[in-house]
Amino acid sequence: ILNVEQSPQSLHVQEGDSTNFTCSFPSSNFYALHWYRWETAKSPEALFVMTLNGDEKKKGRISATLNTKEGYSYLYIKGSQPEDSATYLCALSLSNFGNEKLTFGTGTRLTIIP
Amino acid sequence: DGGITQSPKYLFRKEGQNVTLSCEQNLNHDAMYWYRQDPGQGLRLIYYSQIVNDFQKGDIAEGYSVSREKKESFPLTVTSAQKNPTAFYLCASSMTSGIKETQYFGPGTRLLVL
């Protein structure tokens, strides 16, 4: 069973502060990692897909890095705003040998305090 | 607007009943997925379909059935054999079935057993 761990489970951040959280996974046979944002009462929305060790992706104030050798990805949010409040999910696939399945972590629930 | 619709938003099932959750997409995507979310757990894959008239079991397929007769539609039936059906169900689709492909999610259906 593939274990995808996200930490922390939840956090509260003051508006304007920057924050980051982690997705950890087994480093062997890594293939792709996805980050999704899931706002309350909405559908999960894709942020990034990352495949290469050392990948860095950026979308506005949100960025992500990937270290496949040590098995982790960080998601960073710079200058948090109330609209950043959401659950952030990472999802992983370890191989592409006919396996189109993603395994999701339990998410990090981020609350921005105005 | 292009997107994924799921209906109903809430569904109540009596013991011993089969119920069917609807998922429709107008994104012209080949692949579609059904996930289940339970408190404290990541999204878990129930079934997925890479193309019309084809589908594969995910990690927790027991007690569920699906069909894919049309590209736009991927209904999920929760049968009486599913011992613990109360959960939040999410449908998703992607352009193709490759695991680098972004998955687009519907708004979800919450199923409650009476």
Side-chain angles (χ1 to χ4, degrees):
Chain A
I1 295 178
L2 172 55
N3 198 25
V4 179
E5 295 188 359
Q6 291 189 247
S7 63
Q9 193 172 10
S10 67
L11 75 162
H12 292 74
V13 174
Q14 201 70 40
E15 182 176 353
D17 287 351
S18 296
T19 187
N20 66 84
F21 29 92
T22 308
C23 175
S24 302
F25 51 87
S27 56
S28 58
N29 299 320
F30 171 87
Y31 194 75
L33 183 142
H34 296 241
W35 279 102
Y36 286 87
R37 174 170 58 199
W38 193 358
E39 296 178 65
T40 302
K42 294 188 177 180
S43 307
E45 173 194 354
L47 288 172
F48 307 115
V49 179
M50 308 173 80
T51 58
L52 298 175
N53 184 43
D55 251 355
E56 291 189 28
K57 301 268 184 171
K58 188 173 180 182
K59 193 177 194 177
R61 294 178 292 99
I62 303 177
S63 60
T65 61
L66 178 65
N67 185 325
T68 61
K69 295 187 187 306
E70 296 183 32
Y72 63 84
S73 175
Y74 291 142
L75 191 79
Y76 300 89
I77 301 179
K78 186 177 176 182
S80 302
Q81 299 297 309
E83 60 265 29
D84 296 329
S85 295
T87 296
Y88 291 82
L89 303 174
C90 76
L92 195 77
S93 177
L94 283 189
S95 77
N96 195 32
F97 301 132
N99 177 6
E100 287 74 28
K101 297 186 291 184
L102 291 178
T103 299
F104 281 81
T106 55
T108 291
R109 189 182 189 98
L110 174 65
T111 303
I112 305 303
I113 305 165
Chain B
D1 274 14
I4 301 177
T5 57
Q6 290 186 242
S7 61
K9 191 172 181 179
Y10 296 95
L11 187 57
F12 299 92
R13 191 192 94 164
K14 293 182 181 177
E15 294 283 348
Q17 255 185 353
N18 291 356
V19 290
T20 297
L21 284 59
S22 167
C23 177
E24 304 278 329
Q25 54 99 358
N26 61 5
L27 300 167
N28 201 32
H29 285 173
D30 282 328
M32 297 187 75
Y33 311 82
W34 273 106
Y35 293 93
R36 169 181 171 141
Q37 190 201 30
D38 295 281
Q41 296 198 44
L43 300 179
R44 292 184 292 166
L45 184 66
I46 305 172
Y47 268 97
Y48 65 103
S49 167
Q50 298 178 56
I51 200 163
V52 175
N53 293 322
D54 182 61
F55 49 83
Q56 286 83 40
K57 293 182 179 180
D59 299 318
I60 54 166
E62 187 176 347
Y64 299 97
S65 66
V66 292
S67 63
R68 186 87 188 277
E69 296 175 4
K70 298 187 297 182
K71 189 174 186 177
E72 312 81 60
S73 179
F74 191 39
L76 174 75
T77 297
V78 185
T79 74
S80 56
Q82 171 48 239
K83 298 305 177 193
N84 186 20
T86 295
F88 187 69
Y89 291 86
L90 274 172
C91 178
S93 71
S94 60
M95 183 78 73
T96 68
S97 60
I99 50 82
K100 293 184 190 178
E101 290 285 341
T102 294
Q103 292 186 15
Y104 296 83
F105 287 84
T109 293
R110 187 166 296 280
L111 175 63
L112 297 166
V113 176
L114 301 176

